[in-house]
Amino acid sequence: MAEAVEYDVVVLGGGPAGENVVDRTCAAGLSTALVEAELIGGECSYWACIPSKALLRPALARADARRVPGLAGAVTGALDAQAVFAHRDYWTGNWKDDGQVDWLDSIGAHSYRGHGRLAGPRTVAVEGAEGEHHVLAARHAVVVATGSRAVIPPLPGIAGARPWTSREATSAREVPGRLVIVGGSVVAAEMATAWQALGSRVTVLVRGSGLLPRMEPFAGELVADALREAGAEVRTGVSVEAVVREGSSGPVRVVLEGGEIVEGDELLMATGRAPRTDDLGLETVGLAPGEWIDVDESCRVPGHDWLYAVGDVNHRVLLTHQGKYQARIAGAAITARAAGTTEPDTGPWGAHTATADRRAVPQAVFTDPEAAAVGLTLAEAERAGHRVRAVDYETGKVSGAGLYADGYRGRARMVVDLDREVLLGVTFVGPGAAELVHAATIAVAGEVPIGRLWHAVPAFPTISEVWLRLLEAYRG
């Protein structure tokens, strides 16, 4: 084995979570190495959040414009798919990470291209793309931030069908005439919205009862209704049994339970995620390869005072912004422990303890209409044993919503803990709803009493006035 190069911190994985750890530890004066096998910036930057929103933004802008008097008649044509793709390519840096490499250099981080594996406690072995080998030793911490990958179920014929995952769905350069999507997740709903708007004839096959199963049921219902109105077919309660692709470029046939066949030109499998831990050398430190990595509230792996895991790989919350939040927590904890502070900060900032990824997780889904939520749904709150009340309001009745779009359709719900009179969860569905969720996040994370929220007066005339209507409905 090559002679080890020593750093204070070694980070495995250069996505947003890994980058944020590097940023924090370098800023604290700790020498830090980052190991990445693909592009620095990770899944979010090149195959998920960024390209998907670049594809979706023209679709949503056109939909909003068509609801505005005086403008609707001017927005009648199809989207320019090549211009949309060019916009997406710009935001992904044309799948080049030069800018991220320059940023790492500017903060004093050291980067290694290649596949990194644990080779025992505090040790990482890196095999470079051209066969070179490096051994990195960490004085204080190794951080696993390798993220997750798409799961494709082992259906008969699936390998020969060459299905899309989220990566192909966000990077494709041609609009398929017919796109079949299997799954009801955020990926399924957003990509159905994007590709339907770009001209595909979309069919969504959902095994469960509806889209967006982790949100309030009405969120998925409103999104499915809008997709159907746009021309897509959304079918629930259906199970896929096999897939057949004719030749190398022929149509793909999706065989449903009972024998019915749904045909498309491309197939997107949006059926879940798995951790990228199969070949990380976890077995060398007593952990199970291929499994999610359990962590404590400082994102440290129990029983390993030098090992941390942030982002998707720890399975707390599979969202980029929460992974970055965990990275900030882990970076602060590593820095404090390196300086000899062993107890986490439990003061007002709670700088060393992750709590927001347990009870105040915000999420925005960029469908038409948008769906955004934070905290618990009504069903989750009831299952957790809280005494709760759900308060609903039709957002279209708010003046600001009516001015935003003719025929505004949307709904808002807040879930109130009746014993403490604080919010446990809030959900918004409707055009522009994604911009409402941060106010709700503050209310949930801060456990702001309902009585104080009454004095947080929303500006008139904005969609945020829905807060006033929800509070009025709660007070009766």
Side-chain angles (χ1 to χ4, degrees):
M1 183 175 286
E3 184 177 348
V5 181
E6 194 171 56
Y7 296 93
D8 291 322
V9 180
V10 178
V11 179
L12 279 169
E19 287 181 314
N20 272 263
V21 173
V22 172
D23 190 34
R24 294 296 163 127
T25 54
C26 282
L30 299 178
S31 62
T32 304
L34 175 68
V35 181
E36 174 55 56
E38 294 186 289
L39 296 173
I40 295 171
E43 199 80 13
C44 174
S45 297
Y46 304 102
W47 300 286
C49 320
I50 298 300
S52 67
K53 302 315 166 287
L55 292 174
L56 285 158
R57 180 58 193 149
L60 301 187
R62 183 181 65 171
D64 282 346
R66 287 176 171 176
R67 301 182 185 109
V68 178
L71 181 59
V75 189
T76 57
L79 292 175
D80 182 339
Q82 293 307 311
V84 173
F85 295 157
H87 176 64
R88 173 208 53 199
D89 294 353
Y90 168 80
W91 277 98
T92 59
N94 290 293
W95 288 275
K96 296 179 181 178
D97 60 2
D98 298 351
Q100 296 306 104
V101 172
D102 289 344
W103 170 76
L104 285 175
D105 290 343
S106 74
I107 65 172
H110 300 261
S111 59
Y112 290 82
R113 297 280 193 181
H115 180 67
R117 301 178 78 257
L118 291 169
R122 301 176 187 269
T123 306
V124 173
V126 182
E127 183 176 350
E130 298 180 2
E132 67 274 24
H133 297 274
H134 304 278
V135 178
L136 313 180
R139 297 184 191 93
H140 299 297
V142 173
V143 183
V144 179
T146 48
S148 63
R149 57 177 174 80
V151 171
I152 299 179
L155 296 168
I158 194 71
R162 300 180 307 283
W164 282 4
T165 66
S166 53
R167 283 197 168 195
E168 291 77 18
T170 56
S171 62
R173 297 188 175 277
E174 299 292 335
V175 179
R178 299 165 300 172
L179 175 62
V180 179
I181 301 175
V182 177
S185 64
V186 172
V187 170
E190 287 192 342
M191 291 298 94
T193 301
W195 288 105
Q196 180 70 34
L198 284 165
S200 284
R201 195 146 46 95
V202 172
T203 301
V204 186
L205 305 174
V206 187
R207 183 172 60 182
S209 59
L211 296 175
L212 307 178
R214 296 184 181 277
M215 288 188 163
E216 297 283 7
F218 65 80
E221 291 166 5
L222 287 169
V223 170
D225 288 346
L227 281 169
R228 293 184 179 109
E229 289 176 10
E233 182 178 3
V234 180
R235 301 178 57 179
T236 59
V238 294
S239 181
V240 176
E241 292 198 334
V243 181
V244 179
R245 168 83 77 172
E246 292 186 1
S248 60
S249 60
V252 60
R253 292 189 171 92
V254 180
V255 183
L256 305 183
E257 186 178 26
E260 182 183 355
I261 293 176
V262 178
E263 188 173 286
D265 297 297
E266 296 292 352
L267 168 66
L268 166 59
M269 299 299 292
T271 48
R273 308 286 299 179
R276 290 182 180 272
T277 60
D278 303 81
D279 189 21
L280 283 184
L282 294 181
E283 69 280 1
T284 69
V285 295
L287 300 176
E291 299 294 325
W292 306 100
I293 301 176
D294 290 332
V295 296
D296 64 18
E297 297 291 67
S298 66
C299 295
R300 186 166 62 174
V301 179
H304 302 76
D305 63 2
W306 54 273
L307 184 60
Y308 295 73
V310 297
D312 283 11
V313 76
N314 65 31
H315 207 229
R316 286 166 71 106
V317 186
L318 276 64
L319 292 168
T320 295
H321 46 277
Q322 295 300 137
K324 292 163 72 172
Y325 163 75
Q326 292 171 10
R328 295 192 294 271
I329 297 296
I334 291 167
T335 299
R337 287 165 176 151
T341 303
T342 58
E343 292 301 316
D345 172 14
T346 57
W349 282 88
H352 308 162
T353 54
T355 57
D357 57 1
R358 292 296 193 195
R359 59 185 175 85
V361 177
Q363 182 172 19
V365 184
F366 295 90
T367 45
D368 177 29
E370 293 177 347
V374 62
L376 302 179
T377 64
L378 174 62
E380 288 170 339
E382 290 175 337
R383 284 197 297 270
H386 298 286
R387 192 172 69 91
V388 293
R389 175 186 166 195
V391 181
D392 292 2
Y393 195 81
E394 297 298 323
T395 316
K397 295 179 180 179
V398 172
S399 298
L403 289 165
Y404 186 93
D406 262 9
Y408 188 106
R409 284 185 295 174
R411 187 173 171 185
R413 166 175 289 179
M414 62 182 193
V415 178
V416 183
D417 182 327
L418 294 174
D419 294 320
R420 295 186 298 145
E421 286 212 312
V422 298
L423 301 183
L424 296 178
V426 185
T427 299
F428 302 105
V429 182
E435 298 300 334
L436 300 175
V437 75
H438 189 58
T441 303
I442 293 170
V444 174
E447 299 183 325
V448 182
I450 290 284
R452 292 303 307 156
L453 286 176
W454 181 251
H455 298 284
V457 182
F460 178 86
T462 66
I463 304 173
S464 292
E465 196 180 356
V466 71
W467 278 104
L468 173 59
R469 305 307 172 205
L470 287 168
L471 294 168
E472 286 176 335
Y474 177 73
R475 292 184 65 181

